């Protein structure tokens, strides 16, 4: 190794002086100030007016629910329907009122969460009519999805309502909704269970196939792979439904869409 040495050399070291990044420092200081304000705000005892109002709302809702149960046990359908209308109106009013301030206050957050859950369990009983309202509300206010998702169960709905909700989601493409939000909502459509439970007619299944194909054509871009996979699963469920009843129909849609480059090649693998 020494025989190959060509002699001494000079090694020059260069370095830059470390400096504070003013933009990062400002951001950190702002975050610390925000943290202090949040700690101070959440450490304060809630206003007694808010506590009293929450207590009052909680009692009113509990009385409504108790009366509904009592009338149902007596078989008084007229009174049950009347109370259900009040409950439904109350439910949507509370959802519309939710904002950041309500979510940040522990007292109001607890009240709204528990109340919406209790009222929602009754609203969910009328999913044929209320499912579409829940869906539209979720699309309009994505911040409510965590509260609405458990109540949105389209698979229990009759075919006409199921198709209406599915179409509403497909039509939401024009509104440029967040693909992640759409994935959550589309995933609530349990296709195998719905097909087995409601056994849609030929025309109803055909209409649903057209909606799925349309969805696959609309969300045919790179960052929508999750949606594509989910819609393809829905299509496969319909493909297997009363096989081979829809075999030719689906195959024609897929081949036509692929030949016109409106569908991805992955769908052929299914």
């Amino acid at each position: 190794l020494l025989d190959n040495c060509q002699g001494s050399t000079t090694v020059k070291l260069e370095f830059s002086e470390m400096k504070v990044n003013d933009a990062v420092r400002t951001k950190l200081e702002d975050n610390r100030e925000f943290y202090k304000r949040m700690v101070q705000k959440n450490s304060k005892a809630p206003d007694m007016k808010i506590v009293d109002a929450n207590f009052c709302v909680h009692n009113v809702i509990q009385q409504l629910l108790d009366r509904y149960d009592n009338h149902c046990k007596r078989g008084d359908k007229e009174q049950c329907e009347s109370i259900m209308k009040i409950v439904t109106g109350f439910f949507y009013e509370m959802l519309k009122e939710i904002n950041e301030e309500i979510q940040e206050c522990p007292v109001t957050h607890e009240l709204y969460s528990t109340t919406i859950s209790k009222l929602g369990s009754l609203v969910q009983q009328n999913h044929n009519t209320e499912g579409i309202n829940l869906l539209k509300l979720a699309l309009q206010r994505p911040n409510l999805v965590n509260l609405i998702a458990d109540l949105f169960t389209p698979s229990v709905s009759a075919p006409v309502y199921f198709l209406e909700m599915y179409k509403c989601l497909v039509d939401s493409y024009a509104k440029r909704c967040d693909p992640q939000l759409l994935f959550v909502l589309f995933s609530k459509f349990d296709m195998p269970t719905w097909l087995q439970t409601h056994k849609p007619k030929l025309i109803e299944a055909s209409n649903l196939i057209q909606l799925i194909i349309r969805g696959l054509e609309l969300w045919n871009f790179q960052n929508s792979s999750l949606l594509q996979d989910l819609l393809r699963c829905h299509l496969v469920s319909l493909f297997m439904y009363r096989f081979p009843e829809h075999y030719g129909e689906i195959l024609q849609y897929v081949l036509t869409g692929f030949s016109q480059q409106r569908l991805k090649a992955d769908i052929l693998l299914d």
Side-chain angles (χ1 to χ4, degrees):
L1 183 61
L2 293 175
D3 293 340
N4 295 328
C5 182
Q6 300 297 320
S8 61
T9 187
T10 301
V11 179
K12 185 178 180 181
L13 299 177
E14 295 182 356
F15 64 93
S16 299
E17 182 181 357
M18 184 179 294
K19 295 181 180 180
V20 175
N21 187 312
D22 292 334
V24 174
R25 181 180 60 185
T26 302
K27 185 66 175 177
L28 288 172
E29 291 175 353
D30 291 342
N31 287 342
R32 291 190 183 104
E33 287 299 319
F34 177 74
Y35 171 76
K36 290 178 182 178
R37 290 196 300 270
M38 291 298 296
V39 170
Q40 291 174 357
K41 182 178 179 180
N42 291 325
S43 298
K44 291 181 180 179
D47 191 329
M48 286 307 300
K49 292 181 179 179
I50 295 178
V51 175
D52 291 341
N54 280 13
F55 184 74
C56 179
V57 171
H58 175 78
N59 284 342
V60 169
I61 291 171
Q62 192 58 52
Q63 288 179 28
L64 273 175
L65 297 176
D66 291 342
R67 288 189 179 184
Y68 180 81
D69 288 339
N70 290 333
H71 286 298
C72 285
K73 290 177 181 178
R74 296 173 188 170
D76 191 343
K77 293 184 179 180
E78 185 176 347
Q79 284 296 324
C80 286
E81 290 176 1
S82 178
I83 294 175
M84 179 62 79
K85 290 180 180 179
I86 298 173
V87 167
T88 302
F90 213 143
F91 171 77
Y92 286 111
E93 193 62 34
M94 293 200 74
L95 280 174
K96 291 175 183 177
E97 290 294 325
I98 289 181
N99 54 33
E100 186 175 347
E101 187 176 359
I102 287 174
Q103 294 283 54
E104 288 178 355
C105 177
V107 176
T108 53
H109 176 75
E110 177 66 20
L111 172 71
Y112 274 70
S113 297
T114 55
T115 299
I116 288 171
S117 177
K118 288 180 179 180
L119 297 179
S121 63
L122 290 185
V123 173
Q124 195 177 27
Q125 295 178 14
N126 292 333
H127 207 286
N128 278 344
T129 55
E130 297 305 325
I132 188 67
N133 294 326
L134 287 171
L135 178 58
K136 289 179 178 178
L137 186 59
L139 291 172
Q140 291 170 1
R141 296 191 57 184
N143 61 310
L144 299 179
V145 169
N146 290 336
L147 291 171
I148 295 175
D150 289 340
L151 303 175
F152 183 59
T153 52
S155 301
V156 304
S157 299
V160 62
Y161 302 105
F162 187 91
L163 285 167
E164 181 186 13
M165 289 182 280
Y166 208 98
K167 183 179 184 301
C168 179
L169 266 186
V170 174
D171 290 344
S172 69
Y173 174 82
K175 301 176 183 178
R176 302 298 180 187
C177 295
D178 180 16
Q180 292 290 340
L181 168 65
L182 295 176
F183 175 79
V184 171
L185 296 174
F186 266 119
S187 65
K188 304 298 289 185
F189 290 80
D190 186 349
M191 198 65 68
T193 299
W194 180 77
L195 291 171
Q196 184 178 4
T197 303
H198 295 278
K199 295 178 173 54
K201 299 176 182 177
L202 179 64
I203 184 63
E204 293 168 337
S206 294
N207 290 338
L208 185 54
I209 290 170
Q210 292 177 26
L211 287 174
I212 296 173
I213 292 293
R214 185 180 165 212
L216 286 166
E217 292 175 349
L218 290 174
W219 286 286
N220 188 14
F221 41 88
Q222 189 172 2
N223 64 342
S224 60
S225 58
L226 286 176
L227 265 179
Q228 278 276 327
D229 292 345
L230 187 55
L231 291 172
R232 282 164 50 196
C233 287
H234 289 175
L235 188 62
V236 169
S237 295
L238 278 162
F239 183 81
M240 299 303 297
Y241 176 64
R242 292 179 178 172
F243 185 84
E245 195 169 77
H246 301 285
Y247 172 82
E249 179 183 7
I250 293 177
L251 191 61
Q252 182 179 357
Y253 280 128
V254 169
L255 292 176
T256 301
F258 178 68
S259 64
Q260 296 176 355
Q261 297 184 341
R262 290 184 283 109
L263 293 176
K264 290 185 176 182
D266 294 346
I267 196 172
L268 297 174
L269 301 176
D270 296 333

